[in-house]
Amino acid sequence: MKTLIINNHSNYIKELVSLFSDVVIIDKQTLTKDFNITNYDLIVLSGGSNVPTVLRHPEEYIYEISIIKESKIPVLGICLGAEIICEAYGGKLQELTEEHRGVITLQITNLDLEKALGVSNLEVTEGHHIGIQGIPQDFISCAHSEHGIEIIKHKDKPIIGFQFHPEVA
């Protein structure tokens, strides 16, 4: 499986790359509207560190938003990547009163996901100051924590967003 990782200046890019065997990394600044995604089997939108938020600066992520909306291949968004997915499909983001950082417990709310994982609760690592307040139309919430919505999934398309960092154990 050939994976395209769009690096939004993630602090965890090495950890993310280690999860896949055939990876091409492209920095978000080198992405163009004509970038050809047809050579890939999966697109991963990384988290970001010290970058403009998609909440305040959606124009900074216009090419990623375009790719998400036009893609026929699976898209996985992590942290900022999930926020970009949310923005692309008209969901609602919010600035959090404090940064959420550390290990949290997710409550899985989607039966298919719970079956696949074999658990109803899962400990994960998060680090963000923007949250998903309202899921986009045609998406479902698959998990939440005390901090809010943590996993969103499109009802029909292979698009999923994790508000946490699965690449960090």
Side-chain angles (χ1 to χ4, degrees):
M1 175 188 299
K2 191 167 187 173
T3 302
L4 172 66
I5 296 177
I6 300 175
N7 185 7
N8 290 299
H9 301 256
S10 173
N11 285 335
Y12 307 118
I13 196 67
K14 288 179 186 174
E15 293 85 348
L16 185 56
V17 168
S18 73
L19 298 176
F20 304 96
S21 58
D22 187 5
V23 177
V24 172
I25 304 169
I26 183 168
D27 189 83
K28 90 171 226 55
Q29 273 73 27
T30 62
L31 197 60
T32 65
K33 67 178 179 169
D34 300 322
F35 187 81
N36 184 1
I37 61 169
T38 59
N39 298 326
Y40 303 96
D41 302 303
L42 172 65
I43 298 169
V44 177
L45 309 173
S46 80
S49 180
N50 297 316
V51 294
T53 67
V54 70
L55 175 65
R56 303 265 183 256
H57 301 281
E59 72 281 356
E60 293 281 330
Y61 302 94
I62 195 74
Y63 297 136
E64 287 173 86
I65 289 170
S66 176
I67 285 172
I68 294 164
K69 291 176 107 176
E70 295 172 15
S71 179
K72 305 274 189 266
I73 61 176
V75 176
L76 168 63
I78 297 171
C79 199
L80 174 61
E83 295 160 18
I84 296 169
I85 290 170
C86 191
E87 176 70 23
Y89 283 93
K92 187 158 173 56
L93 299 171
Q94 67 179 347
E95 189 110 24
L96 304 174
T97 56
E98 60 185 29
E99 185 172 22
H100 296 166
R101 186 166 296 282
V103 176
I104 60 161
T105 300
L106 297 185
Q107 289 79 46
I108 307 300
T109 56
N110 178 278
L111 292 177
D112 291 334
L113 181 57
E114 185 177 337
K115 264 190 213 177
L117 294 173
V119 296
S120 58
N121 294 319
L122 187 64
E123 286 194 347
V124 298
T125 301
E126 70 176 359
H128 57 92
H129 63 279
I130 302 293
I132 298 172
Q133 183 177 23
I135 59 172
Q137 185 175 351
D138 296 325
F139 277 72
I140 58 173
S141 173
C142 297
H144 66 273
S145 72
E146 64 185 86
H147 299 147
I149 300 166
E150 297 286 349
I151 300 176
I152 60 171
K153 178 185 175 302
H154 196 282
K155 291 178 182 174
D156 303 312
K157 297 178 181 180
I159 302 172
I160 191 165
F162 297 149
Q163 188 60 36
F164 56 93
H165 289 275
E167 74 278 28
V168 180

